[in-house]
Amino acid sequence: MSFLTPPQTVASSNSSRDAKRRRIQDSSVERSDLSLSSSSSGGTFVVEKYRVGIPGLRLLPLETSEDPPLATYSKYHEFLPLIREALERRQVQYRKDDVVLCYRTLPGETPSDEDVTILVHASWTREEDGESWYQAADEIRSILLRSWATRAVTVELIDWRLSAPRIMSVVENNHPIIGAWPVVNPLVHEIISEYPNLEEGWRSIDVIRIGLKPGDDPQSAPILPVTISVTVDWSLDRKDWVAAERRIEDLLDHSQLQDVKIEFEHGDVEPQGFPECYPTRTGATYEIHIGDYPELVPMGAPFSAEKYHECLDSKRMVQPGIGTIGGYLESRNSRLCMQEKDVKAGDEPETEEADVPEDSLLRAVDVDGLGPDRSSEAQITYEYPSRRVHNYTLKYIEDKIDDRLEIQAKSHGNTETILEMQEEIDELRAERANKCFFFDEGKHKLGRLWLCTGYKQRSSLNGRVDVALIDMAPDRIGKNLIASESAWKPPFTAPPKRYCGRQLADIASCKAGTDLGRVYKVGARTGATTGRFSKIRSDVKIGWDSKVGMGMSREYCFVPEPASEATFQDSGDSGSFVFTSTRSWPGQTWGGATKAKVGEQKLAYITDAQDIIDWVGGWGGEGELEARLPEEGR
């Protein structure tokens, strides 16, 4: 059999499952199960649909980094015109900028000399492209052997769709999976439960459209098949799920869901508050506060603990979490600020289990929640901005002052420069004085924790209720004002102009299952973004669940919109109020799922607004406690 035979004509099977797998792979441009190879004097070529390589092809996904050794790079540029001539002679559809010398490595792998690759991004549009791509690769390899005398460089031609970022989108409301999921879902769980490693290691089951971002070609469109996406722990590998995957494919085929695919991939599901008093890995996003410190705290502001808490006999300082000020609720006797509850009793769950005493207050807060009766004892207080933000901001201002003083010193008596710099120095010194006065007067104090859920708290529909209320300092109480249009940067779309600057008006519970349209949020980490509500709830399991005797939860899921954008929310956005274009409040974010193949884009999970209201009322009993959106929002 000639290895130039188009790969899709090689496979044949009477199995409807195999036929379905091929259809899905063609539609989503996934790697083919079958490839064809041949040895020649130049090496072993591998031809797959959408890829050709010599001396072989590594399994996707691969990371590309364009920093090869300088000597190799210089030699490559010497022969680049010959490489382009070979591509054009074989009628490979490519652009000149799409030929690069790079490293091609597995995610997280350190590049080596064996990973140096001449990578060509091209368009595979016909079945005959396999032959022309092979001939071009063969000619390029011959150039390397004849003129460069090297076998150390790999040649790879790849369709742009296989190297395009993967993105997510919601499933439309009229897709058959919407009605079939209540029946299919328990059957999927039944299959997974028969594989112990998979049952232990799955983290989320999400039903979304997931596929490839369109290329620069204006005629290209995203390829987003409906997918049952199962996020699994990083400790698992393909052998742990391949059998379950094939059985679920049979299930989908039997359920007449031929256009739905099943996909397992590594990832994480976690609350998006930081388990530290203030983030360090990504702190640059927050560490400098530009402009005056606001006295009234807006929706979307970051908060942090006012102090570390001693928890252990060793006097170890426990770092409570950080998140986003969501918005405001009225109780029967005070105005309360909503935030996502993320008061951690240690840096990682594993150390918490071993280090935090079972009878400690922080463990009780984290696992069982905190009522008003114990809030005075807890004395967990918050501030905005935090001292760390304040200190970094002062250092930033002082560095700018030093820069301008240096410019003055080097101006050689230029009066115009001296006066210009002095004006800026005076403004910076005034800004520094105002910020220090704000802290000296204690205006940064936000309030104390008054009421929070425990880790075990679930709604009547088994969703996580993961929130806290801060008893706010009266002079810091803000309003649920929707940010101005300018907060949403392209390609995100702002809410209707008539609603910007106005308050949230009412609740739009996710439980109704109605289409919420485009939704919005303002978070401390990612700012103003937009997303879309998925009608299919996600099954979610976090590492802590088993440690506190809880099973999986079922969460309301939101996907970024537009689908080509990286994220709707990220770490530090926990607690952000989600709201609709009609000023309704469906809930607030508590966490999300990260899928390895999708890169930075994350799913968002939220606590339903009505569940929050019901939970507050449940603390007092007999209607003693009550919460609602402030009246002036209506």
Side-chain angles (χ1 to χ4, degrees), residues 154-209:
T154 299
V155 179
E156 180 181 352
L157 279 71
I158 185 170
D159 188 276
W160 66 266
R161 289 168 291 183
L162 279 182
S163 56
R166 283 159 53 85
I167 58 176
M168 296 182 287
S169 181
V170 295
V171 179
E172 59 275 17
N173 294 340
N174 61 354
H175 193 279
I177 190 66
I178 301 291
W181 187 239
V183 175
V184 172
N185 175 277
L187 298 177
V188 170
H189 278 284
E190 183 178 324
I191 292 172
I192 289 175
S193 68
E194 296 181 23
Y195 302 89
N197 289 347
L198 186 57
E199 174 63 18
E200 175 68 21
W202 74 267
R203 291 292 173 258
S204 76
I205 301 176
D206 310 287
V207 181
I208 51 178
R209 286 191 175 274

Side-chain angles (χ1 to χ4, degrees), residues 8 21 86 101 112 149-150 163 178 196 225 317 324 374 409 527 543 556 582:
Q8 64 270 30
R21 184 180 297 117
L101 184 71
S112 68
T150 182
S163 56
I178 301 291
M317 307 302 284
T324 296
R374 299 194 70 189
Y556 297 107
T582 57

Side-chain angles (χ1 to χ4, degrees), residues 293 390 394 431-442:
Y293 293 149
H390 178 61
L394 292 186
E431 181 183 355
R432 179 178 63 185
N434 289 337
K435 284 177 161 48
C436 289
F437 180 77
F438 190 91
F439 263 73
D440 291 343
E441 293 292 303

Side-chain angles (χ1 to χ4, degrees), residues 301-375:
F303 75 94
S304 71
E306 189 173 9
K307 62 181 181 180
Y308 291 89
H309 298 279
E310 293 182 1
C311 182
L312 306 179
D313 295 337
S314 63
K315 302 299 182 182
R316 173 188 172 192
M317 307 302 284
V318 177
Q319 303 174 350
I322 180 171
T324 296
I325 297 298
Y328 295 90
L329 295 180
E330 284 182 341
S331 71
R332 296 185 67 181
N333 53 16
S334 66
R335 182 75 59 84
L336 301 171
C337 168
M338 292 290 301
Q339 60 158 94
E340 191 269 341
K341 199 283 298 179
D342 194 24
V343 182
K344 299 299 184 191
D347 291 340
E348 299 291 341
E350 290 75 16
T351 50
E352 289 169 17
E353 190 67 25
D355 293 343
V356 180
E358 291 292 337
D359 58 351
S360 71
L361 176 62
L362 286 183
R363 176 170 287 280
V365 170
D366 223 26
V367 177
D368 299 318
L370 180 80
D373 55 329
R374 299 194 70 189
S375 60

Side-chain angles (χ1 to χ4, degrees), residues 43 68 89 119 163 214 269 319 325 468 535-536 606 611 626 628:
R89 192 159 34 247
L119 181 66
S163 56
V269 176
Q319 303 174 350
I325 297 298
K535 289 195 69 171
I536 298 182
I606 78 163
D611 288 335
E626 181 183 356
R628 64 188 180 191

Side-chain angles (χ1 to χ4, degrees), residues 6-9 22 25-27 29-36 46-52 57 60 124-127 130 133 157-159 161-162:
Q8 64 270 30
T9 66
R22 288 198 303 277
Q25 285 168 338
D26 286 348
S27 66
V29 204
E30 294 289 349
R31 178 185 180 278
S32 300
D33 285 338
L34 294 174
S35 62
L36 299 162
V46 175
V47 179
E48 295 174 350
K49 191 169 186 179
Y50 309 111
R51 290 180 83 195
V52 172
L57 289 174
L60 297 176
W124 182 303
T125 58
R126 309 166 302 161
E127 293 183 356
W133 283 28
L157 279 71
I158 185 170
D159 188 276
R161 289 168 291 183
L162 279 182

Side-chain angles (χ1 to χ4, degrees), residues 18 86 121 136-137 176 225 275-276 288 313 321 347 379 403 445 460 512 561 585 600:
D18 290 342
H121 288 99
E276 299 177 327
I288 297 171
D313 295 337
D347 291 340
Q379 284 299 312
D403 288 343
K445 296 180 183 293
S460 59
E561 186 184 80
W585 173 48
E600 296 183 0

Side-chain angles (χ1 to χ4, degrees), residues 282-304:
T282 52
T285 306
Y286 313 86
E287 288 172 351
I288 297 171
H289 192 290
I290 304 299
D292 295 335
Y293 293 149
E295 189 162 327
L296 301 183
V297 182
M299 290 171 55
F303 75 94
S304 71

